[in-house]
């Protein structure tokens, strides 16, 4: 009888201990799960994305904060004012001040947005609408609150990395297809060269060099051709690798290059001549990185499922990843987990993309809830 009582007591203690452990470690919290079809709450207090929040809400002890009160389509930083602007999923535009206060700034909603590309200082923004069937581009001047549409037939545009007053644009319009320069203040356009290429993107990373590039896909080998603006000449820069995509540093001297075909993926640090400076062993996509002065910061997946086609499956939201933030040494390519931060049961899981550095913090969108986050550096 005494033996049975002791065994019973032990089982009860183990049961209580197991329950308390489950409560502490594994019970879902408001920041971890939501009912199927519901939006994730964004703080422990249960504030939803539709409620007004006057300032940043710290949600972990690791310096990670939620900046937006609602899901974000994309964002940019105005470097003159340090305000962060974003367009939400309903097409409404908002401003987050340095104090963290969020303010709606447009009376009308913006629909059918494909992409957003800010000028070097963030005071103007190129909006692309209606891709790929009825693509139109227009430039928003934040201070003037005015729009300047680009010519009909424009399929891609890029900012002069030295100026907020000049862009290049690629036009595909029967006999007038070519690359043009446009000065916004005078609205005067100059043709640089005629081209007969369709469905390509334009990028301006170096002062006198434009890049004409394929859209990233594991289904075909991509390429990047360099066009020298002064000499009016083309030369191949990168002509290899399925899934090709590159993120260039602000001065265009360094790039993070990804290629992948669904079986093998590579991630390398290159210079402006496509010379490999370092092979980065921890693979991620360039859209999940941001360049600093001595380091790049990348959201690197804990695991990439086998036979996933990158970047296609990621861009089409066929897969979501579970990331850790790493520092990448720009000299050696060595990676180091930043701050020993692990997005586990104590913090919301993160699938971070569109990373930007604003002073002493890293901004990114979490694809799992589409909210805008910051991480103290």
């Amino acid at each position: 009888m005494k033996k049975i009582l002791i065994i019973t007591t032990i089982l009860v203690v183990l049961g209580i201990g197991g329950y308390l452990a489950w409560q502490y470690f594994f019970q879902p919290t408001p920041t971890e799960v939501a009912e199927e079809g519901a939006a994730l709450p964004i703080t422990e207090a249960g504030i939803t994305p539709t409620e007004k929040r006057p300032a940043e809400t710290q949600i972990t002890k690791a310096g990670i904060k939620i900046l937006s009160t609602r899901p974000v389509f994309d964002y940019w930083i105005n470097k003159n004012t340090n305000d962060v602007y974003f367009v939400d999923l309903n097409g409404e535009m908002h401003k987050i001040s340095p104090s963290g206060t969020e303010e709606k700034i447009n009376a009308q909603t913006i629909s059918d947005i494909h992409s957003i590309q800010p000028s070097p200082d963030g005071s103007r923004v190129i909006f692309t609408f209606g891709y790929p069937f009825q693509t139109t581009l227009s430039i928003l001047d934040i201070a003037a609150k005015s729009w300047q549409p680009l010519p009909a037939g424009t399929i891609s545009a890029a900012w002069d990395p030295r100026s907020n007053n000049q862009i290049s644009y690629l036009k595909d319009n029967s006999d007038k297809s070519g690359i043009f320069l446009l000065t916004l203040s005078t609205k005067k356009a100059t043709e640089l060269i005629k081209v007969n290429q369709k469905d390509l993107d334009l990028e301006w990373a170096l002062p006198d060099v434009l890049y004409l590039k394929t859209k990233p896909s594991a289904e075909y080998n991509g390429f990047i051709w360099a066009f020298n603006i002064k000499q009016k000449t083309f030369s191949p820069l990168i002509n290899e690798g399925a899934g090709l995509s590159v993120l260039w540093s602000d001065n265009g001297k360094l790039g993070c290059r990804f290629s992948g075909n669904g079986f093998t993926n590579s991630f390398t640090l290159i210079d402006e001549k496509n010379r490999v400076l370092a092979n980065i062993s921890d693979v991620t996509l360039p859209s999940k990185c941001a360049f600093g002065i001595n380091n790049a910061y990348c959201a690197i997946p804990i695991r990439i499922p086998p036979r996933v086609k990158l970047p296609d499956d990621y861009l089409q939201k066929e897969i979501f990843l579970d990331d850790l933030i790493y520092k990448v040494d720009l000299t050696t390519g060595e990676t180091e987990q930043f701050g020993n931060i692990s997005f586990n049961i104590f913090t919301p899981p993160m699938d971070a993309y569109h990373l930007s550095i604003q002073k002493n913090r890293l901004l990114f969108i979490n694809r799992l809830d589409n909210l805008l986050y910051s991480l103290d550096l």
Side-chain angles (χ1 to χ4, degrees), residues 188-209:
K188 189 173 183 179
T190 304
E191 183 180 83
L192 292 176
I193 192 170
K194 294 184 182 297
V195 295
N196 187 24
Q197 296 286 340
K198 298 180 182 295
D199 204 28
L200 296 177
D201 285 332
L202 201 60
E203 189 170 14
W204 199 342
L206 293 168
D208 297 319
V209 180

Side-chain angles (χ1 to χ4, degrees), residues 180-352:
F180 298 79
L181 282 183
L182 172 65
T183 302
L184 301 182
S185 57
T186 63
K187 299 182 180 180
K188 189 173 183 179
T190 304
E191 183 180 83
L192 292 176
I193 192 170
K194 294 184 182 297
V195 295
N196 187 24
Q197 296 286 340
K198 298 180 182 295
D199 204 28
L200 296 177
D201 285 332
L202 201 60
E203 189 170 14
W204 199 342
L206 293 168
D208 297 319
V209 180
L210 296 172
Y211 295 145
L212 202 60
K213 61 182 185 177
T214 51
K215 299 182 186 302
S217 174
E219 299 293 336
Y220 51 78
N221 287 331
F223 66 79
I224 298 177
W225 279 70
F227 175 73
N228 189 294
I229 296 173
K230 291 182 176 180
Q231 299 174 4
K232 303 291 193 299
T233 57
F234 274 108
S235 60
L237 179 66
I238 306 176
N239 195 20
E240 58 193 48
L244 176 66
S245 60
V246 179
L247 173 71
W248 298 103
S249 60
D250 287 344
N251 63 8
K253 297 291 187 179
L254 294 174
C256 288
R257 186 187 72 190
F258 171 87
S259 60
N261 57 16
F263 297 94
T264 59
N265 301 308
S266 69
F267 191 52
T268 56
L269 185 66
I270 60 174
D271 67 9
E272 75 275 17
K273 301 294 186 182
N274 190 35
R275 293 176 294 214
V276 175
L277 303 177
N279 290 303
I280 303 173
S281 58
D282 297 301
V283 174
T284 190
L285 295 171
S287 61
K288 298 169 76 67
C289 293
F291 278 98
I293 298 175
N294 299 314
N295 300 290
Y297 294 88
C298 293
I300 295 178
I302 296 173
R303 175 179 176 270
I304 298 176
R307 304 208 176 201
V308 165
K309 287 186 177 181
L310 294 177
D312 306 58
D313 290 346
Y314 189 79
L315 295 175
Q316 295 164 14
K317 295 191 175 182
E318 295 291 333
I319 62 162
F320 292 84
L321 300 172
D322 188 8
D323 296 329
L324 300 175
I325 303 296
Y326 281 78
K327 288 194 300 184
V328 181
D329 188 291
L330 294 180
T331 302
T332 65
E334 294 180 354
T335 60
E336 176 187 357
Q337 187 176 336
F338 178 73
N340 199 29
I341 295 170
S342 177
F343 299 119
N344 51 31
I345 60 173
F346 298 103
T347 59
M350 294 287 173
D351 181 354

Side-chain angles (χ1 to χ4, degrees), residues 156-167:
S156 184
W159 289 100
D160 183 335
R162 303 159 300 181
S163 171
N164 304 288
N165 189 43
Q166 184 169 243
I167 67 165

